[in-house]
Amino acid sequence: MSSTFEELASLHSSDGPLAAIDRLIDALREQKQYHKLFDARLLRRKFELGLPVDRPASLQDVPDDQRKLVEETYVEAAREVGALFLEQDDIPSAWMYLQVIREPQKVAEAIDRLPVNVEPDEKTEELLNIAVFQGVNPVKGVQMMLRCHGTCSTITSLEQALQNMTSEQRQDCAKVMVRSLYQDLQDSVRRHVEQRMPMLPPDATLRELITGRDWLFEGGNYHIDTSHLNAVVRFARAIEPPADEIDLTLQMCEYGAKLDPQLQYGGDPPFVDFYPAHQQFFKALLGQNQDQALQYFRDQLDAEPDEQDKPLLAYVLVDLLMRTGRLDEAVDVAAAYLSNLSDDMAFSFAELCRKANRLDVLQKVTQDRGDLVGFTAALLQSDQPAETEAAS
């Protein structure tokens, strides 16, 4: 190390400061001192521009007219250092740099290459935090968390993280949870059935295992933590058809509906009757007795006596109508109950009207609200081609 100091001093005297800085950068790469390498690259840029170099990585002492030049080097240095840390399998250190420049993809790919089975230590917790809570690779993070911490802890963590995920990430994580819990439940029920019927088909589904066997549930018996079952069924509402996991969830709902009533925890409207309501929800997505399934939620909405609670029920119905291609009816229900929701919610009435080619409804609603801007926007959009044709 002392020889490097001497070399730098010698180069500074003989070849000038830039030669010394370049040798510093090379030495830090060789020594794998990547945090210092980042600082050194900023040091070089600032020196070139005649800026103060006592705080190389700081942007606070950079004038506005030179800020872009320094920021370009900042991004390049962060990208290089992030990649070098990934080569060392140091994902948390790489994320420190790639997060700042908003380039998560390489970190996501590195996490994806990790084994699912990991030891529960401090490093693992850092990785899970990056993968799940910071949204870099939540699906792989959930898979690792299930193996490392089990179902209960994963559900708790996922409840906290879901709101910050994209709809696609929520759906993919829900699929992981559904498959994991379904397998656990199927295995548990199978072991119970085999106590009486040892020669079961090896590929029997959960539905086949419980059909005609109400004795499985006698005396308040259950085969999996019922709070886990409740949570995963809720998660599964994020899954879009077509997906095999929807039918797996429907089977778990069929199981849940057979549990002792004390084990069937209620939900928010329209899922107060938790498992029967969810059976109708997933049947609608699967196209099984779809008219009957949708009517269940129409009836729930019509029967709700409290006007303040109706938007919550209408939201579920509109969501189902949109996902089953019934856009015209979705517009009508939304116009009655959801048109005042702000666009920062998960639902946009204006977007629904565009998709359904029902801008006439959007014009009427905005006019009734006295919304001149919204009304004019609806007029302008009526001159444009519809995004999709309304489903019949």
Side-chain angles (χ1 to χ4, degrees):
M1 182 69 72
S2 60
S3 61
T4 305
F5 285 102
E6 294 169 359
E7 183 181 5
L8 292 175
S10 176
L11 277 171
H12 181 267
S13 298
S14 61
D15 297 350
L18 282 178
I21 297 174
D22 287 340
R23 177 61 190 121
L24 167 67
I25 290 172
D26 290 341
L28 292 172
R29 286 197 186 103
E30 294 164 5
Q31 297 168 14
K32 299 183 179 180
Q33 295 190 48
Y34 299 138
H35 292 301
K36 293 294 185 181
L37 172 61
F38 178 80
D39 293 346
R41 289 202 56 183
L42 269 294
L43 175 71
R44 190 185 198 287
R45 174 56 98 185
K46 282 189 168 184
F47 180 79
E48 286 177 319
L49 296 173
L51 297 173
V53 296
D54 54 323
R55 293 186 298 164
S58 174
L59 299 178
Q60 294 180 353
D61 53 6
V62 180
D64 290 342
D65 61 339
Q66 294 178 305
R67 192 174 186 87
K68 184 178 180 181
L69 294 172
V70 177
E71 286 179 344
E72 288 175 352
T73 300
Y74 189 101
V75 171
E76 292 170 1
R79 186 177 293 127
E80 178 190 3
V81 169
L84 289 169
F85 273 121
L86 287 178
E87 290 178 6
Q88 300 297 310
D89 296 324
D90 188 347
I91 292 175
S93 293
W95 179 237
M96 285 175 55
Y97 294 92
L98 297 176
Q99 176 187 26
V100 173
I101 61 174
R102 298 180 182 179
E103 295 184 4
Q105 187 57 39
K106 288 183 179 179
V107 178
E109 293 169 357
I111 292 174
D112 212 40
R113 291 191 292 268
L114 294 173
V116 172
N117 292 317
V118 290
E119 293 297 323
D121 54 25
E122 185 176 342
K123 180 182 178 182
T124 297
E125 295 309 309
E126 285 187 279
L127 291 171
L128 293 177
N129 177 61
I130 294 168
V132 178
F133 291 100
Q134 299 191 50
V136 176
N137 192 332
V139 173
K140 185 58 176 281
V142 167
Q143 292 171 337
M144 294 167 64
M145 194 176 289
L146 281 168
R147 298 294 185 90
C148 184
H149 295 306
T151 302
C152 186
S153 179
T154 303
I155 287 174
T156 301
S157 297
L158 200 52
E159 294 270 21
Q160 299 169 7
L162 278 174
Q163 60 185 348
N164 297 320
M165 293 183 188
T166 66
S167 58
E168 183 177 357
Q169 288 173 334
R170 285 194 293 270
Q171 178 178 192
D172 290 342
C173 287
K175 288 180 179 180
V176 172
M177 296 303 298
V178 165
R179 287 199 170 274
S180 176
L181 196 76
Y182 180 90
Q183 186 66 61
D184 290 346
L185 179 56
Q186 183 185 36
D187 290 346
S188 181
V189 172
R190 183 183 183 87
R191 287 192 295 271
H192 190 174
V193 175
E194 284 179 333
Q195 293 175 8
R196 295 194 185 188
M197 306 174 64
M199 301 299 292
L200 285 175
D203 56 350
T205 65
L206 177 62
R207 179 178 291 121
E208 292 167 340
L209 290 170
I210 64 175
T211 298
R213 297 183 178 122
D214 289 346
W215 48 266
L216 287 166
F217 305 92
E218 289 176 353
N221 190 48
Y222 58 94
H223 303 83
I224 204 162
D225 189 305
T226 53
S227 66
H228 296 173
L229 181 63
N230 182 286
V232 172
V233 167
R234 283 190 288 107
F235 294 159
R237 296 208 301 260
I239 301 174
E240 295 284 350
D244 292 341
E245 290 82 2
I246 295 177
D247 184 61
L248 298 183
T249 309
L250 178 58
Q251 292 183 51
M252 291 194 288
C253 290
E254 293 165 1
Y255 171 90
K258 292 177 176 290
L259 291 169
D260 187 284
Q262 293 185 352
L263 299 174
Q264 297 187 46
Y265 313 125
D268 295 324
F271 299 104
V272 175
D273 198 3
F274 191 81
Y275 292 112
H278 278 92
Q279 283 178 269
Q280 298 300 332
F281 184 91
F282 293 114
K283 282 182 178 179
L285 293 183
L286 290 167
Q288 297 179 8
N289 299 319
Q290 193 172 83
D291 289 335
Q292 178 183 338
L294 289 170
Q295 190 60 45
Y296 176 90
F297 293 98
R298 296 188 190 103
D299 293 342
Q300 293 274 312
L301 178 59
D302 292 341
E304 175 55 51
D306 191 337
E307 289 297 321
Q308 292 185 338
D309 286 342
K310 283 199 170 187
L312 180 62
L313 282 75
Y315 184 93
V316 174
L317 176 56
V318 169
D319 177 50
L320 268 180
L321 290 169
M322 291 173 65
R323 293 163 74 179
T324 54
R326 304 189 183 210
L327 298 185
D328 271 336
E329 185 182 353
V331 169
D332 293 337
V333 176
Y337 298 104
L338 304 178
S339 60
N340 287 321
L341 292 182
S342 62
D343 286 349
D344 60 355
M345 303 289 287
F347 171 79
S348 169
F349 178 64
E351 182 179 350
L352 171 58
C353 289
R354 287 196 300 273
K355 287 182 177 180
N357 196 20
R358 293 290 303 279
L359 292 167
D360 57 318
V361 178
L362 181 58
Q363 292 168 24
K364 182 179 185 305
V365 168
T366 51
Q367 183 174 359
D368 291 344
R369 287 199 315 228
D371 180 2
L372 289 171
V373 175
F375 178 77
T376 304
L379 287 175
L380 296 174
Q381 291 173 81
S382 67
D383 297 329
Q384 300 171 347
E387 291 185 18
T388 60
E389 292 297 323
S392 58

